[in-house]
Amino acid sequence: MKLSKDLRAFEERIGYRFKRPELLQRAVTHASVSSSTRKDNQRLEFLGDRVLGLVMATALLEHDKTATEGQLAPRFNALVRKEACADVAREIDLGAVLKLGRSEMMSGGRRKQALLGDAMEAVIAAVYKDAGFDAAAELILRLWGERIHQVDTDARDAKTSLQEWAQARGQKPPAYIEVARSGPDHAPVFTIAARLQDGNEAQATAGSKRQAEQAAAKALLGKLD
């Protein structure tokens, strides 16, 4: 099988040349365009998630040989969650080579966080099936780069930290209120307020509710500090 010009360029961007190009073709094929003769990337995504997890768990243990399980778990979650995978996918412009159905293309699928994260995991699995664990690990460590070394010592997400702050002071869990929504339906922008029982509040804007909630919680924690 011969890859298209855009997929050859993608191979250059990730620094890996496939011996079985059909694996890469499948990794970038979304369910919206699959058929009986064209398999989608969902099974590869399932496998890639597990490969990524093992590589990151090993890397974190090697990076900090004294860390407890309680310290390692949030760091691990920060590195393997869908947002992290999508961030890496954007850096290598994975969205540009995704094979999408018309509906997904019209709704901005190439920019969707969940879709990009899933495809990133599928690419990892494709490399794993093409050349084995060591090749997949090398790809992951190179693409994630300094994220592994710079992950916060306490990488709990901001919402969790804010809730613990409130509970420690006898307050109810924070409330997250959608203040505004703008942009087209396929690429909405949300403004969310994180609000505590005592009236403290902070707002943030992002391309998904989850991101906006996290950013608002982080902003509020900064005010409280």
Side-chain angles (χ1 to χ4, degrees):
M1 177 184 180
K2 186 176 181 180
L3 288 175
S4 60
K5 184 177 179 180
D6 62 339
L7 286 178
R8 284 297 184 195
F10 179 73
E11 286 185 320
E12 294 296 325
R13 292 200 294 277
I14 67 173
Y16 181 81
R17 179 63 61 90
F18 281 84
K19 297 184 285 292
R20 296 165 58 195
E22 65 272 15
L23 287 168
L24 176 57
Q25 183 72 44
R26 182 176 175 185
V28 299
T29 300
H30 186 256
S32 63
V33 76
S34 64
S35 67
S36 58
T37 59
R38 189 177 193 179
K39 295 181 179 179
D40 63 47
N41 63 8
Q42 290 180 327
R43 287 173 62 85
L44 286 176
E45 172 208 336
F46 173 83
L47 176 60
D49 177 60
R50 276 68 187 172
V51 175
L52 174 62
L54 180 56
V55 171
M56 284 304 172
T58 302
L60 287 171
L61 285 172
E62 292 178 351
H63 177 62
D64 188 343
K65 299 183 185 301
T66 64
T68 65
E69 188 276 340
Q71 292 172 316
L72 291 169
R75 300 178 199 175
F76 174 84
N77 291 335
L79 290 168
V80 303
R81 61 191 177 200
K82 202 66 71 178
E83 291 90 341
C85 292
D87 284 344
V88 174
R90 292 185 187 96
E91 289 180 359
I92 58 176
D93 201 12
L94 176 53
V97 297
L98 292 179
K99 310 303 178 185
L100 305 173
R102 178 175 175 79
S103 61
E104 278 293 349
M105 289 182 65
M106 295 295 291
S107 65
R110 297 188 189 282
R111 300 186 300 276
K112 289 181 180 178
Q113 182 166 272
L115 195 152
L116 287 171
D118 290 347
M120 187 68 246
E121 291 171 345
V123 168
I124 289 169
V127 173
Y128 171 77
K129 289 176 70 70
D130 193 55
F133 181 78
D134 288 346
E138 191 278 331
L139 177 82
I140 292 166
L141 295 175
R142 177 159 41 79
L143 294 183
W144 262 250
E146 288 303 308
R147 288 178 176 84
I148 299 169
H149 305 295
Q150 295 175 356
V151 67
D152 294 339
T153 300
D154 179 4
R156 289 173 302 175
D157 63 68
K159 289 180 66 176
T160 299
S161 296
L162 183 60
Q163 180 167 325
E164 291 178 352
W165 187 96
Q167 290 177 334
R169 290 157 179 80
Q171 295 190 37
K172 294 179 180 179
Y176 294 91
I177 300 99
E178 182 178 320
V179 176
R181 175 173 174 165
S182 60
D185 289 341
H186 68 271
V189 176
F190 299 92
T191 298
I192 300 290
R195 185 176 300 159
L196 290 170
Q197 186 180 0
D198 63 9
N200 278 305
E201 178 181 316
Q203 296 185 10
T205 301
S208 75
K209 284 188 177 180
R210 187 183 187 282
Q211 286 178 312
E213 288 175 355
Q214 289 286 351
K218 185 176 181 179
L220 183 48
L221 283 168
K223 289 174 62 176
L224 297 172
D225 290 343

